[in-house]
Amino acid sequence: MDIQLLEATPNPEEVICRAARNDYMSEYGAEQSFESVMEGIEGETTEEKQRTLISHLLNHGHFGPFEHVQATVHVKGMSRSCMAQITRHRHVSFDVQSMRYVAFDDVDPADVREGELVVTPPSATDPDWIGRNQKGGAVDEETVEKRREVFAESVERAVADYQELLDLGMPPEDARFVLPIGTEVNVVMSLNARMLMHIADMRAAADAQWEIRGLTEDILALAEEWCPITFEQYEATMKNRKNRLAP
Ligand SMILES: Cc1cc2nc3c(=O)[nH]c(=O)nc-3n(C[C@H](O)[C@H](O)[C@H](O)COP(=O)(O)OP(=O)(O)OC[C@H]3O[C@@H](n4cnc5c(N)ncnc54)[C@H](O)[C@@H]3O)c2cc1C
């Protein structure tokens, strides 16, 4: 999976602070400089004041201001299984690569065997990998080699069958029924900072599956560059807790 930030609200932490300060100001804040809006907040510099205010908001569960800033990310090659999980989050906007208008007719099934087009779960190749719902613990090399072979055979055959159905004139949206749930898809998703923290509460947690955990961690890493005070604090003090971001 590859992920890139396409677009994000500029100066997100100024927007968050302006929104929060609006709630307690009698004057109209849009006509004031940011320095003036932040007057009275503890801190020597405007950045320190932002830290103070954002920290206060996060500690006190005042999450509304974090809904005003949004990021759009482009994800390459998540599995359709992971897509089914992430698209359950209703406050995220998605665009999903179509299997009606995009046909995978030029992929060589032999390459699919080697990892193209279908995501290979680590449990198919790593003897030490222990999945949450796995029966038993680590397995020997021989068993994993067998798993790898069964998995590779299965996905290669599925893609070969799909392409044969296309050759027989079946429309792509029907031929796709034989493709595995691990088939890769490119997705554009837009979400606000509060929603990202909520998703991280659920999907960066130990009981989430490895792929959506990886996706969430990657988005969090991008968010830490885009909106640093907020996501550094999320990482340091809120992650792996139930923060009642969506009570
Ligand atoms: C480890 C794990 C296992 C899961 N297993 C399954 C499973 O087996 N089967 C399955 O179907 N799902 C499963 N889910 C999905 C889960 O049940 C949620 O549907 C999904 O995570 C979306 O999160 P959310 O409910 O917080 O809603 P979001 O869409 O992220 O919405 C955020 C918040 O907005 C509020 N909200 C949004 N819409 C409504 C509404 N219509 N009514 C009231 N409040 C609303 C809620 O407070 C909600 O928490 C699993 C999730 C996890 C993390």
Side-chain angles (χ1 to χ4, degrees):
M1 193 184 315
D2 186 31
I3 174 162
Q4 296 197 32
L5 187 67
L6 280 186
E7 187 61 86
T9 306
N11 304 320
E13 286 169 329
E14 177 174 332
V15 175
I16 291 165
C17 290
R18 279 185 178 274
R21 292 294 282 159
N22 169 77
D23 302 356
Y24 307 106
M25 284 170 68
S26 52
E27 307 84 27
Y28 179 47
E31 285 167 356
Q32 297 189 26
S33 69
F34 187 42
E35 286 68 29
S36 144
V37 165
M38 295 299 273
E39 251 170 44
I41 305 276
E42 197 184 306
E44 294 289 316
T45 62
T46 306
E47 197 199 318
E48 273 179 31
K49 289 170 189 249
Q50 278 179 286
R51 276 190 191 283
T52 305
L53 180 55
I54 287 174
S55 172
H56 180 84
L57 295 172
L58 292 175
N59 289 338
H60 289 79
H62 185 169
F63 296 124
F66 298 90
E67 293 177 17
H68 298 292
V69 298
Q70 169 166 299
T72 300
V73 296
H74 202 159
V75 186
K76 175 172 181 251
M78 75 167 80
S79 72
R80 294 231 160 217
S81 167
C82 184
M83 186 193 75
Q85 296 174 346
I86 194 70
T87 52
R88 295 299 301 278
H89 293 286
R90 290 158 283 189
H91 306 291
V92 182
S93 303
F94 294 95
D95 261 90
V96 174
Q97 184 184 32
S98 169
M99 277 180 152
R100 294 189 80 180
Y101 301 109
V102 180
F104 306 107
D105 47 4
D106 57 350
V107 179
D108 185 343
D111 292 337
V112 176
R113 211 189 154 76
E114 302 305 322
E116 196 169 327
L117 190 64
V118 179
V119 175
T120 305
S123 53
T125 54
D126 181 356
D128 299 323
W129 181 271
I130 304 203
R132 189 174 164 81
N133 297 318
Q134 181 171 325
K135 292 184 191 122
V139 291
D140 57 34
E141 299 274 350
E142 198 186 327
T143 308
V144 162
E145 188 44 43
K146 228 179 204 166
R147 278 187 196 170
R148 201 195 63 74
E149 188 52 32
V150 171
F151 189 89
E153 281 279 315
S154 175
V155 294
E156 180 183 18
R157 193 174 54 244
V159 173
D161 289 348
Y162 164 79
Q163 291 177 343
E164 191 177 345
L165 292 171
L166 290 180
D167 289 343
L168 291 168
M170 209 160 163
E173 69 259 34
D174 292 344
R176 68 178 163 180
F177 279 48
V178 302
L179 287 175
I181 198 167
T183 303
E184 289 180 354
V185 59
N186 300 335
V187 175
V188 173
M189 46 190 281
S190 298
L191 71 177
N192 66 49
R194 178 185 188 165
M195 195 57 204
L196 175 52
M197 289 187 271
H198 169 62
I199 289 178
D201 278 3
M202 301 190 82
R203 305 299 188 171
D207 58 350
Q209 200 174 356
W210 51 273
E211 192 182 9
I212 196 164
R213 281 182 79 180
L215 169 68
T216 307
E217 293 290 356
D218 287 351
I219 301 177
L220 282 176
L222 292 175
E224 217 170 299
E225 286 179 29
W226 160 59
C227 198
I229 300 172
T230 305
F231 284 95
E232 276 165 22
Q233 174 154 345
Y234 178 80
E235 186 76 32
T237 65
M238 297 169 72
K239 201 166 172 200
N240 301 321
R241 298 194 186 155
K242 291 287 169 214
N243 294 297
R244 300 181 62 77
L245 278 139

